[in-house]
Each structure stands twice: as C-alpha cells, then as structure tokens.
Amino acid sequence: MKTSEIFDALLGNLKVGETATVIASRRDEITKALNKDFRSKEGCTDYKLMVGSFGRHTAIKGVSDLDMIFILPPGIRSNYSSDTGPRRILERVRDDLKARYKDTEIRVDQCVVRVQFKSNAFKFEVQPAFKNSDGSFDYPDTVAEGWKVTKPREEIAATKECNDRTSTNMRHLARMARAWKNANGVNMGGLLIDTLVHNFFAQTDDYDSAGTGSFDLMVRDFFAFLKDEPEKDYYLALGSRQRVKVKAKFQPKAKKAYRRCLDAIENEGKAAANKKWREIFGTSVPVAVSEGAKSYQDTEEFIEERYSIDISGTVLIDCEVTQNGWRPTRLREMLRTGVLLKADKDLKFSVTNCTVPHPYELKWKVLNRGPEAERRNAVRGQIVGSSKPDVRLEHSDFKGEHVVECYVVKDGVVVARDRIDVSIINTSVKPASVS
C-alpha cells in the first residue's frame, strides 16, 4: 500500500463515527436531569459544555471517558461558598442523577460526579461549575474544600487555532498519538497529548500543509520530538497554560515508535511497512494484502475487537525463567544483559506493578512468530485468561520471536497493557508440554 493509502485508512478507522450520536444522547439526558432540579426546567438541554478530548474534537473511536461541565445557576453561588459547599453541590448532582439512572453506578470523586454506564461502557465525569465573566469556570474540590478555576474554552480555542493553521493536521496527529498510546500502553492523559502535539507544531512549520502522503515523515518527526523531550512533572496546557500532570515517562516508548517509523519508511510499499505501522498505531492500520495462501492457520486475535481501549493506567509484567537444576532468573534482566533464552524452560509471566485499582480482570495473549511456529501450525495469539491469579504459565519449546501481552480490563475497557518480547534461540528435542 502507498503511504497515503495507509494513513487515509488509519484516520478513517479512528473516527468516533456513530458513537458521537450515542454520546450526545447521554449528555443531553444528564443535562435534562440536572436542569429539572437546578432550574425547574423540564427537558432543557442548555447549560452544558463538553470538554476534554471529545470537546476538543481530538477523541478517537472507542473513547470511553467523557468530560462535561454542567453550568450552575449564578444565583445559588453564595449557598455553596463555605468549605462544605463543594461536597454539597457534588452530592446534589449525584442524587439528581441517581434519581434518573437508578441502576447505574454513580459516585462523587473529588471534583466530579462519575456516571458509569454499563450498556456501552461510557464513563461520564460531570463537573458542576459556575461560569465567570472571563469565560473560565469555578469548580468544586472536596479535598481542598474550596473552588478552583478551570479554563477549557481557552484549550478548545487553542486546539482549533492550531488545527486551522495546520490544515487539520493538528487533530489528525492528536488522534494518531491516541492510537499509539492505546496500542502500546502509554499512560498519557488526553490534554497532555494535545499539548505535546500543539508544542510540536509550534517548533516546526514543515507539516502545516502536508497531505497524508507525507504523514510517515510527520509522525517520525513527532516521535523524535517526544523521545527528546526532557523529563518533567507537568506541562503548561495549550491555551489555558494551566498545569497538566505527566503520569508516567513517555520517552522510552516514543523512542521505540521512532525506530519503528524508520523501519516502516525504509520498507515503504512492502508488507513490512504495514506491519511496523500496525505496531505503532494498532489494528486501525490496514493489514497488507496477502500475496498467497498461508501454510498455517492464523489464529491471532486482537484485544481491540473485544473491548474498547482507553489507556489511563500502567501495568508492568515480567517473567520468571526456571529449569530443574538452574537458579530462577528474570527475563527482563536477561534481555538487559544480553543473556539468550533457550528451550525447555518454564516461564511464569506475572504482574510486577499495576496502578489500576481493583477490581479488574487480566487477559493475556501469547503469540508465536517465525518459520518454526508456522511449520508447526502453532502461531496461537488467542486472547486468554490467567493460569492463576495475575499469572500466566508457559514453556519455551521452539525457536522464534514470541510475544506475550497482558491487558487490564476494568468496567469493560482496557485501561492498561504491557508487552514483553520472548526470543528463543533453539528448539527443544523433547516432546512439548505446552505448544
């Protein structure tokens, strides 16, 4: 496929699409329930503002976290000015929504009321706020026991200005950055992504009018920009210049993406290029057309086809490598020191760290690659559960480049993922205990 065809298809597959209609319906129903109480107006859908990625029009298909502001009547501001005001206003909003959605999980969470819909896995974060004369909003914070200022309209305006100046490439790149985040388990918030994309276009005009035929170079340079960013605790958000927190280091995974870009560009027009772009952006990149029938059964499954993906946490996995008569070792340490993994080893993959609070479910994928896997018809790659809590047990049997991925699923959404490459240098001469 040509570069333009790959990126045209990618962007088409990332569109929110028909989901936007469902989101708008949910948003309006929430607004009606609140206006009924706060303004005694039945069926009123005014006084709301979608913010976050959806409000900035940088969200992608599968978006599950939705942020909205409900604008409070100014006449009640004095009733909630005390240190108990923030909690009381949030509890009032919570109670209004519980009356509307009796079987839905609804709770106060510091600055918002979280509404977790089951039917489509949407999580609305509803923030009641008073509008100020300068267009900013005062919102409640139960921890600070006071009101704080947010400026989402300035962030929306800055996104639009940059997008207009770059011939819509700002939003294109922001959506591709989200696809990379979700495909590679990069724990970055949407406002940080949009801020970094904005900063990238601020330091170059090379792609202000670029078409999709040049997007391979644009994303290459964007990941080069990311990997070279100094480590920071926060950035100043586009437009508002308010602090946006860096949840985790993004530079190492940006460096991997940059290298994959170089490989993809070098292999332009070949199936290898599609493969590399899929490693960067996930299954929204089309598969290259097969040149012939496969000699093996392609059993690989993709987590994106089962769940929505919206990375908001971090999970790390490692593998304990053991064999009778040998001291157990860690696979990541072997990879770091250049020690090669041989066949006939017991492999115990487990979670070493996870920032996602319980409860959640773990899913795994074990994918075998290479000529030996294809000859044996043992590619595998199905999405499976744990062998026992937080653990997947395997065995090294034959030569090839193998991949193990772990997914954290919470409320029907994959919120964290990690991957470890397992390169086995020889093939067992014993009967395989696990294929």
Side-chain angles (χ1 to χ4, degrees):
M1 296 180 70
K2 295 179 180 179
T3 297
S4 59
E5 294 173 332
I6 291 173
F7 283 95
D8 283 337
L10 169 60
L11 292 171
N13 290 334
L14 292 179
K15 289 181 179 179
V16 174
E18 295 178 358
T19 304
T21 303
V22 182
I23 292 171
S25 176
R26 292 288 196 189
R27 173 204 64 198
D28 288 349
E29 286 300 316
I30 289 172
T31 308
K32 288 176 186 178
L34 296 178
N35 277 325
K36 181 180 178 181
D37 173 26
F38 284 92
R39 292 183 170 86
S40 299
K41 290 185 176 183
E42 292 277 356
C44 178
T45 60
D46 296 334
Y47 311 107
K48 87 279 187 179
L49 176 67
M50 291 301 294
V51 294
S53 300
F54 193 81
R56 294 188 298 274
H57 301 287
T58 53
I60 62 174
K61 184 178 180 180
V63 59
S64 61
D65 282 10
L66 298 154
D67 305 310
M68 67 173 285
I69 287 177
F70 174 69
I71 304 171
L72 296 165
I76 68 170
R77 187 187 284 246
S78 61
N79 298 341
Y80 296 94
S81 59
S82 69
D83 56 5
T84 64
R87 179 162 295 280
R88 286 189 290 113
I89 198 70
L90 287 165
E91 289 176 348
R92 181 174 172 181
V93 168
R94 177 201 63 193
D95 293 345
D96 287 344
L97 296 179
K98 278 191 171 183
R100 169 63 180 83
Y101 300 105
K102 293 181 173 59
D103 298 323
T104 300
E105 180 187 340
I106 300 172
R107 62 184 176 88
V108 172
D109 187 0
Q110 186 173 342
C111 304
V112 299
V113 175
R114 293 181 184 267
V115 185
Q116 180 66 63
F117 292 107
K118 296 178 182 178
S119 60
N120 45 32
F122 289 147
K123 179 176 67 180
F124 271 79
E125 295 192 348
V126 183
Q127 188 168 71
F130 292 106
K131 184 178 179 180
N132 298 316
S133 59
D134 63 355
S136 66
F137 295 89
D138 288 344
Y139 67 91
D141 187 325
T142 57
V143 173
E145 296 184 332
W147 295 79
K148 295 182 177 179
V149 177
T150 183
K151 303 175 181 180
R153 290 191 187 278
E154 295 183 15
E155 294 159 3
I156 292 170
T159 302
K160 184 179 185 304
E161 182 279 327
C162 183
N163 190 61
D164 291 345
R165 176 172 54 81
T166 61
S167 308
T168 73
N169 286 340
M170 190 274 179
R171 285 187 175 128
H172 287 329
L173 184 55
R175 291 177 184 134
M176 289 189 286
R178 281 170 173 76
W180 164 67
K181 161 197 136 170
N182 287 339
N184 293 273
V186 188
N187 188 6
M188 298 174 73
L191 183 55
L192 177 58
I193 288 175
D194 292 348
T195 296
L196 289 167
V197 170
H198 182 270
N199 292 354
F200 169 73
F201 282 113
Q203 51 88 52
T204 181
D205 58 6
D206 290 351
Y207 304 104
D208 283 3
S209 58
T212 50
S214 300
F215 275 19
D216 54 346
L217 304 181
M218 182 176 74
V219 297
R220 177 202 64 189
D221 290 354
F222 174 65
F223 287 121
F225 168 77
L226 287 190
K227 75 179 180 65
D228 292 336
E229 276 290 283
E231 292 182 13
K232 300 179 181 180
D233 293 328
Y234 66 89
Y235 282 79
L236 297 179
L238 76 168
S240 69
R241 307 300 289 170
Q242 293 185 304
R243 290 189 178 189
V244 54
K245 183 180 179 182
V246 178
K247 298 178 182 179
K249 294 178 183 178
F250 55 80
Q251 290 86 347
K253 290 187 176 180
K255 187 175 182 179
K256 287 183 180 179
Y258 172 71
R259 290 173 176 168
R260 287 168 177 163
C261 286
L262 297 181
D263 289 342
I265 292 168
E266 183 179 351
N267 288 282
E268 182 180 3
K270 302 177 183 177
N274 289 67
K275 179 181 176 182
K276 287 299 176 181
W277 291 127
R278 281 174 70 88
E279 288 178 1
I280 298 169
F281 298 118
T283 56
S284 292
V285 174
V287 178
V289 177
S290 176
E291 295 181 355
K294 295 177 180 177
S295 61
Y296 60 93
Q297 185 179 5
D298 189 350
T299 53
E300 184 178 5
E301 298 175 347
F302 299 95
I303 197 71
E304 294 85 352
E305 296 173 357
R306 287 201 186 183
Y307 302 95
S308 295
I309 314 292
D310 196 354
I311 301 299
S312 58
T314 301
V315 63
L316 299 176
I317 62 172
D318 203 347
C319 175
E320 183 180 73
V321 181
T322 59
Q323 184 180 31
N324 289 338
W326 296 82
R327 186 180 68 180
T329 57
R330 289 283 178 179
L331 181 57
R332 289 201 184 275
E333 179 64 16
M334 293 172 64
L335 294 172
R336 188 186 69 82
T337 57
V339 177
L340 303 176
L341 177 64
K342 297 182 179 180
D344 300 320
K345 307 290 185 182
D346 291 320
L347 307 176
K348 178 182 176 182
F349 296 90
S350 61
V351 172
T352 59
N353 185 49
C354 184
T355 65
V356 180
H358 285 282
Y360 57 74
E361 184 181 10
L362 285 187
K363 294 292 184 181
W364 302 82
K365 176 160 82 171
V366 181
L367 178 65
N368 299 325
R369 290 175 170 169
E372 186 65 14
E374 295 173 6
R375 185 186 70 80
R376 292 171 176 239
N377 194 22
V379 170
R380 296 180 65 186
Q382 297 92 341
I383 306 299
V384 296
S386 298
S387 304
K388 54 185 181 179
D390 292 357
V391 169
R392 182 71 198 175
L393 300 176
E394 295 290 335
H395 191 269
S396 62
D397 291 328
F398 55 85
K399 183 178 181 180
E401 300 297 324
H402 311 268
V403 176
V404 174
E405 288 193 317
C406 176
Y407 315 98
V408 180
V409 183
K410 188 176 180 69
D411 297 322
V413 178
V414 176
V415 294
R417 66 192 295 176
D418 194 22
R419 159 182 168 148
I420 188 168
D421 294 316
V422 186
S423 180
I424 303 174
I425 64 169
N426 67 324
T427 296
S428 174
V429 295
K430 300 178 183 180
S433 59
V434 179
S435 63

